[in-house]
Amino acid sequence: MTKKLYIKTYGCQMNVYDTERMVDVMAHEGYTTTDKPDDADLIVLNTCHIREKAAEKVYSDIGRLRVMKQKQAKKGSKETILAVGGCVAQAEGAEIQRRMPVVDMVFGPQTYHRLPDMARRAHELKKQGEHPRIVDTDLSVSEKFAALSQKTVTPKKTAFLTIQEGCDKFCTYCVVPYTRGGEFSRSFEDVMKDAGKLNDAGVLEVTLLGQNVNAYHGMSAGGKEWSLARLIRHLADVTDFKRIRYTTSHPGDMTDELIAIHGEIEQCMPYLHLPVQSGSDKIVKAMNRHHTIASYLKTIEDIRKVRPDIALSGDFIVGFPGESDADFEETMKLVREVNYAQAYSFMYSERPGTPAAAWEDQVESHVKSERLAELQEELNRQQRAFNELSVGKVMPVLLERTGKQAGQLVGRSPYMQAVHVDFGNGETAAQNFGKLVDMKIISAGPRSLKGEFTT
Ligand code: SAH
Ligand code: SF4
Ligand code: F3S
């Protein structure tokens, strides 16, 4: 009998990839997906712990699902298994069930290959009238990848491929080393096996994922070590991928070899997400970022030498403990100097168990919001300016999803800008879905572009 699975994904692309893998592994157990939690036999919340808001959202969602389950119980309709997976699960473990007894299963990001087994056990216990209370927060990654390599292949033309997980950097604000565990690179053969399946399925664009993807150092059976640069070079040689991207990179791991391929390999897209977090040397040191502002700027300079049109993106945290007005000014100065094509910026959030959360020199919340508003105004201005520069140009766009309006498709430019195209009728749109086509950019908005056929 087929069962229904509802998964909600929070957080980063790593979680998006993990969700795809869970859908894949559960499909082999007879589960099809549904977008209605009420119809599901199994609900999985694939959660994120990076900032307080992200984690709190999970608890309010669980609250809503509790009400739904109470209604189901009254009607005597089916009993849904409620599972919390991902980074909140890893960080809080059984505590989640203490706070929210309605939760049947808690499992961390490195254990979802055991999801079929956990789900079977949970359904069994429910049948016997017991509350399952299953918790699995083991952190050994290698087992997961071995069990979970790509089974069914995505019909999409753009795909994520996780090649590295976890982090050993221990930035003083960040939960990732605790929720995802230590840095782990998948072996070259494993990566190539999944890449081959994506290639055979006609995928045109692959994004190599890792928390610190440029720290990748996978081994091959012969004992050879593969850097990210060498892996990308190899993928460009042996696959038909038209576009290769990678994210997220750490400035400290941007090797000369990796910088160089941006100028050499056509498939390597002109977009780089390189978070710096702050423009103040004092703050990046307190953050334990392992690089200086000067070394970051040098990397940017080097990459612009080999790829002058590269679109740069970054992450910023404002209001880190000890950040003075002068430190924040240095962030503004850096932003003006680099000129980003787009960026993400956040107010510092105290995360339990991380060193900076215990420091005394926390910044007041109204100061954080003022700084964030000022920073975002500048970043938005830069993004608009970058988008406006595209108007009149012709660029290849991978039309990967349908738009809100009928006959509309949305794709990405080489620079990661969203491009909306109105085909006028559904038939022409359908013919172009999943294609990489040249589009003339006819207008630009703050977050996206509009394109049309060049003819
Ligand atoms: N591994 C990546 C980032 C992963 S987290 C890297 O090092 O670049 C994504 C982003 O969330 C970070 O770059 C940072 O800007 C933000 N972030 C992480 N912890 C945070 C915290 N405690 N408060 C606010 N923002 C945070
Ligand atoms: Fe977190 Fe720093 Fe690791 Fe990125 S490099 S995941 S910010 S600890
Ligand atoms: Fe969030 Fe975990 Fe990703 S904490 S950002 S989902 S690694």
Side-chain angles (χ1 to χ4, degrees), residues 50 166-178 183 211-212 248-251 253 275 277 287-290 315 317:
I50 201 83
C167 183
D168 290 338
K169 298 265 193 299
F170 291 94
C171 299
T172 49
Y173 51 82
C174 183
V175 295
V176 170
Y178 314 99
E183 206 172 285
Q211 253 89 30
N212 283 301
T248 298
S249 298
H250 189 281
D253 293 315
Q277 316 296 356
M287 287 175 163
N288 193 31
R289 288 288 290 176
H290 306 280
D315 290 346
I317 295 176

Side-chain angles (χ1 to χ4, degrees), residues 10-12 14-15 47-50 87 175-176 179-180 211:
Y10 311 66
C12 65
M14 213 107 220
N15 264 12
T47 62
C48 172
H49 200 241
I50 201 83
C87 291
V175 295
V176 170
T179 64
R180 293 268 169 174
Q211 253 89 30

Side-chain angles (χ1 to χ4, degrees), residues 233-244:
R233 214 181 266 284
H234 186 74
L235 285 170
D237 281 347
V238 305
T239 69
D240 302 314
F241 298 145
K242 297 269 186 288
R243 292 176 158 192
I244 303 175

Side-chain angles (χ1 to χ4, degrees), residues 28 42 88 93 111 159 167 190 208 226 230 268 277 315 321 360 362 379 394 400 442:
H28 290 259
L42 172 63
V88 174
T111 63
C167 183
D190 260 13
L208 305 174
W226 290 76
R230 289 177 62 192
C268 188
Q277 316 296 356
D315 290 346
E360 272 166 18
Q362 301 292 332
L379 290 169
V394 173
E400 73 218 19
I442 51 171

Side-chain angles (χ1 to χ4, degrees), residues 14-278:
M14 213 107 220
N15 264 12
V16 174
Y17 176 84
D18 288 353
T19 289
E20 286 171 5
R21 301 273 60 74
M22 281 190 250
V23 169
D24 190 357
V25 85
M26 294 310 280
H28 290 259
E29 291 286 308
Y31 281 82
T32 55
T33 52
T34 171
D35 52 10
K36 292 187 203 73
D38 205 14
D39 285 347
D41 299 279
L42 172 63
I43 294 178
V44 176
L45 305 181
N46 191 12
T47 62
C48 172
H49 200 241
I50 201 83
R51 283 169 292 275
E52 196 182 349
K53 259 197 202 144
E56 269 175 3
K57 185 142 198 326
V58 175
Y59 282 100
S60 61
D61 285 349
I62 298 173
R64 262 194 299 277
L65 291 167
R66 180 179 52 202
V67 175
M68 185 199 85
K69 284 188 57 157
Q70 280 161 352
K71 280 190 197 148
Q72 284 181 341
K74 251 193 217 148
K75 276 194 290 185
S77 57
K78 70 177 161 203
E79 265 278 14
T80 312
I81 303 287
L82 175 57
V84 178
C87 291
V88 174
Q90 188 63 42
E92 296 182 5
E95 181 57 32
I96 298 179
Q97 283 180 327
R98 265 192 291 277
R99 223 174 119 180
M100 293 298 216
V102 67
V103 172
D104 300 302
M105 259 160 64
V106 175
F107 64 98
Q110 310 308 355
T111 63
Y112 58 68
H113 53 296
R114 290 197 283 269
L115 182 58
D117 189 40
M118 284 186 257
R120 246 177 274 131
R121 262 163 48 216
H123 281 299
E124 208 47 53
L125 286 165
K126 279 259 154 130
K127 249 189 242 153
Q128 293 160 12
E130 281 180 50
H131 184 188
R133 294 191 179 281
I134 295 168
V135 179
D136 188 350
T137 51
D138 187 18
L139 263 182
S140 41
V141 192
S142 52
E143 214 187 292
K144 170 180 90 168
F145 280 116
L148 267 188
S149 85
Q150 199 97 26
K151 285 193 168 74
T152 326
V153 157
T154 156
K156 289 186 290 185
K157 295 297 169 195
T158 178
F160 289 142
L161 173 49
T162 295
I163 62 169
Q164 183 272 352
E165 253 211 85
C167 183
D168 290 338
K169 298 265 193 299
F170 291 94
C171 299
T172 49
Y173 51 82
C174 183
V175 295
V176 170
Y178 314 99
T179 64
R180 293 268 169 174
E183 206 172 285
F184 172 84
S185 293
R186 295 180 68 190
S187 77
F188 169 74
E189 284 82 9
D190 260 13
V191 171
M192 288 312 295
K193 206 158 64 186
D194 283 357
K197 288 182 191 164
L198 296 174
N199 190 46
D200 292 346
V203 164
L204 297 174
E205 174 182 84
V206 71
T207 303
L208 305 174
L209 292 183
Q211 253 89 30
N212 283 301
V213 74
N214 55 346
Y216 177 78
H217 56 274
M219 303 299 285
S220 57
K224 187 162 123 182
E225 194 176 283
W226 290 76
S227 62
L228 176 63
R230 289 177 62 192
L231 179 67
I232 292 175
R233 214 181 266 284
H234 186 74
L235 285 170
D237 281 347
V238 305
T239 69
D240 302 314
F241 298 145
K242 297 269 186 288
R243 292 176 158 192
I244 303 175
R245 303 184 184 274
Y246 59 94
T247 200
T248 298
S249 298
H250 189 281
D253 293 315
M254 280 312 289
T255 58
D256 291 343
E257 188 194 14
L258 184 57
I259 292 172
I261 64 164
H262 279 274
E264 292 166 16
I265 295 179
E266 198 191 335
Q267 292 92 325
C268 188
M269 287 291 101
Y271 170 87
L272 178 65
H273 182 67
L274 197 61
V276 65
Q277 316 296 356
S278 162

